[in-house]
């Protein structure tokens, strides 16, 4: 059974009234509510001319432009076999990619694990609006503004490195939301890293499920899926995975079509030094997807990590102990899809 998003109820009415319509409540096929942030469609040139032109890829699903996408306001918690976006609860973690993906799809048609395209759209919006959200990146507090705290799951004191460092979803201040308001998306910086759908780094090669087609109900995310496409470094077109001119992440060197940054260094310091550099159209697409910095400064010093010898599924945002390297531009490509890591969770999203 697909959900209906046009029927109002008291919970939805109260959430929408309190946030001026920036948040809403959507119900899944089991009838459980999730509080969702509404992200309106925007053009990439309105963020920065270097991104090219047209609607951001997050708003193109199955060849259809969407007027909005719905992103979980809160990190996922799990109940009765589905993922929920609810405040004041223990965020789910220690869960592998495929399980996180399945818990979101189990909610019914339109529901999915938040995609990298959706994450990148939010990050670019933050950049354009001049605000980088802070968060739980130091055991219950922000590492830079240590007076900013949230309620630890363990009940521990802010900054105490013993015990569970996670905080209850959305329990931090407004500055821990993407738009610096109570209506924003919470915990994009720190708390737990978040699995991202529609992106992988396969032995260094960047593979994506184009546009926001990773949100489709029938999208195949498996390792052998033909849906994975490379980005042609010369033309910027999508190509078969393994194509000769595929754009790759590299740790060092001047490999043609290689985007280079040492693992553990800042994302904003990534360069394009190949003997044959990544072309302008391909580089613009990489920027649109948060895979190459939109600027060389001003991205918060968020970190970049890479294992270029495996199929790595990305996590973004940061964990409770990641300190200054966390943030909306942080990109961690070290974990296999079967990885179960104590500070890695996820977030549900929805497209109608």
């Amino acid at each position: 059974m697909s959900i209906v998003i046009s029927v109002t109820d008291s919970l939805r009415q109260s959430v929408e009234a309190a946030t001026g319509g920036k948040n809403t409540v959507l119900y899944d096929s089991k009838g459980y509510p999730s509080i969702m942030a509404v992200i309106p469609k925007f053009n990439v040139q309105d963020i920065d001319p270097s991104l090219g032109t047209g609607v951001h890829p997050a708003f193109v699903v199955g060849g259809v432009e969407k007027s909005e996408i719905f992103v979980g306001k809160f990190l996922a918690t799990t109940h009765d076999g589905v993922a929920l976006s609810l405040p004041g609860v223990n965020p789910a973690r220690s869960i592998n990619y495929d399980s996180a993906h399945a818990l979101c799809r189990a909610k019914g048609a339109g529901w999915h694990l938040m995609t990298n395209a959706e994450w990148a759209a939010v990050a670019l919006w933050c950049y354009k609006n001049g605000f980088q959200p802070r968060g739980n990146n130091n055991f219950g507090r922000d590492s830079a503004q240590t007076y900013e705290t949230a309620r630890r799951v363990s009940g521990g004191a802010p900054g105490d490195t013993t015990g569970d460092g996670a905080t209850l979803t959305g329990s931090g201040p407004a500055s821990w939301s993407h738009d610096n308001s109570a209506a924003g998306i919470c915990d994009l910086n720190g708390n737990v890293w978040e699995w991202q759908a529609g992106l992988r780094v396969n032995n260094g090669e960047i593979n994506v499920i184009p546009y926001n087609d990773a949100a489709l109900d029938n999208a195949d995310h498996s390792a052998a899926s033909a849906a994975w496409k490379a980005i042609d470094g010369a033309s910027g077109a999508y190509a078969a995975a393994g194509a000769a001119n595929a754009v790759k992440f590299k740790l060092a060197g001047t490999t043609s079509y290689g985007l280079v940054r040492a693992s553990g260094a800042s994302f904003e310091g990534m360069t394009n030094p190949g003997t044959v550099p990544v072309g302008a159209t391909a580089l613009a697409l990489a920027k649109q997807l948060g895979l190459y910095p939109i600027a060389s400064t001003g991205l918060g010093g968020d970190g970049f990590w890479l294992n270029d010898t495996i199929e790595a599924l990305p996590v973004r945002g940061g964990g409770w102990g990641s300190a200054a390297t966390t943030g909306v531009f942080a990109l961690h490509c070290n974990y296999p899809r079967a990885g179960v890591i104590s500070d890695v969770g996820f977030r549900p999203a929805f497209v109608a």
Side-chain angles (χ1 to χ4, degrees):
M1 181 182 71
S2 62
I3 72 165
V4 178
I5 65 172
S6 60
V7 177
T8 59
D9 57 33
S10 58
L11 176 59
R12 180 178 295 151
Q13 286 176 323
S14 64
V15 168
E16 291 179 350
T19 63
K22 293 181 179 179
N23 297 166
T24 191
V25 179
L26 301 183
Y27 294 87
D28 59 32
S29 59
K30 293 188 175 184
Y32 296 122
S34 284
I35 300 176
M36 309 295 288
V38 184
I39 309 298
K41 178 170 63 176
F42 63 81
N43 298 317
V44 295
Q45 65 268 27
D46 296 330
I47 301 294
D48 190 271
S50 72
L51 297 176
T53 59
V55 172
H56 189 277
F59 302 97
V60 182
V61 184
V64 177
E65 284 192 15
K66 303 295 182 177
S67 61
E68 62 211 0
I69 55 177
F70 299 85
V71 172
K73 180 179 175 69
F74 305 105
L75 288 161
T77 190
T78 60
H79 175 72
D80 194 19
V82 295
L84 302 175
S85 168
L86 297 172
V89 296
N90 189 356
R93 46 252 162 77
S94 297
I95 185 169
N96 67 34
Y97 173 85
D98 289 325
S99 296
H101 174 62
L103 284 161
C104 294
R105 275 197 170 172
K107 293 173 70 62
W111 290 98
H112 58 277
L113 177 67
M114 186 179 184
T115 68
N116 181 74
E118 292 165 343
W119 181 284
V122 173
L124 290 170
W125 187 95
C126 292
Y127 169 80
K128 180 62 176 179
N129 283 272
F131 180 71
Q132 300 291 313
R134 298 187 287 274
N136 171 25
N137 50 46
N138 184 217
F139 291 82
R141 65 184 184 182
D142 183 80
S143 62
Q145 308 293 342
T146 56
Y147 60 88
E148 294 186 353
T149 64
R151 295 161 56 204
R152 286 183 64 167
V153 169
S154 67
D160 182 350
T161 59
T162 61
D164 191 337
T167 52
L168 300 178
T169 56
S171 62
S175 58
W176 292 15
S177 297
H178 86 286
D179 64 355
N180 198 23
S181 85
I185 305 169
C186 301
D187 298 327
L188 293 173
N189 177 332
N191 210 0
V192 300
W193 291 94
E194 302 183 38
W195 289 116
Q196 302 294 298
L199 169 67
R200 70 175 182 178
V201 179
N202 196 21
N203 295 304
E205 180 181 296
I206 297 170
N207 289 167
V208 298
I209 298 178
Y211 303 100
N212 199 16
D213 287 358
L216 289 168
D217 296 332
N218 61 356
D220 184 356
H221 296 240
S222 67
S225 172
W228 293 113
K229 302 299 181 184
I231 299 171
D232 186 288
S235 68
Y238 293 112
N245 294 340
V247 178
K248 298 179 174 66
F249 282 137
K250 304 295 290 184
L251 297 170
T254 56
T255 302
S256 293
Y257 307 117
L259 303 177
V260 175
R261 192 61 170 150
S263 187
S266 67
F267 173 76
E268 63 194 3
M270 188 179 294
T271 60
N272 180 25
T275 302
V276 181
V278 174
T281 302
L283 199 64
L285 178 57
K287 291 179 179 181
Q288 291 175 22
L289 297 176
L291 307 179
Y292 191 79
I294 189 172
S296 59
T297 60
L299 304 185
D302 300 354
F304 172 76
W305 296 263
L306 175 66
N307 183 337
D308 61 357
T309 65
I310 63 169
E311 184 209 36
L313 278 292
V315 296
R316 306 204 76 150
W320 60 71
S322 304
T325 59
T326 62
V328 293
F329 288 100
L331 178 58
H332 198 301
C333 302
N334 266 11
Y335 298 138
R337 65 174 58 231
V340 176
I341 302 96
S342 63
D343 66 346
V344 173
F346 65 108
R347 187 181 303 262
F350 179 83
V351 292

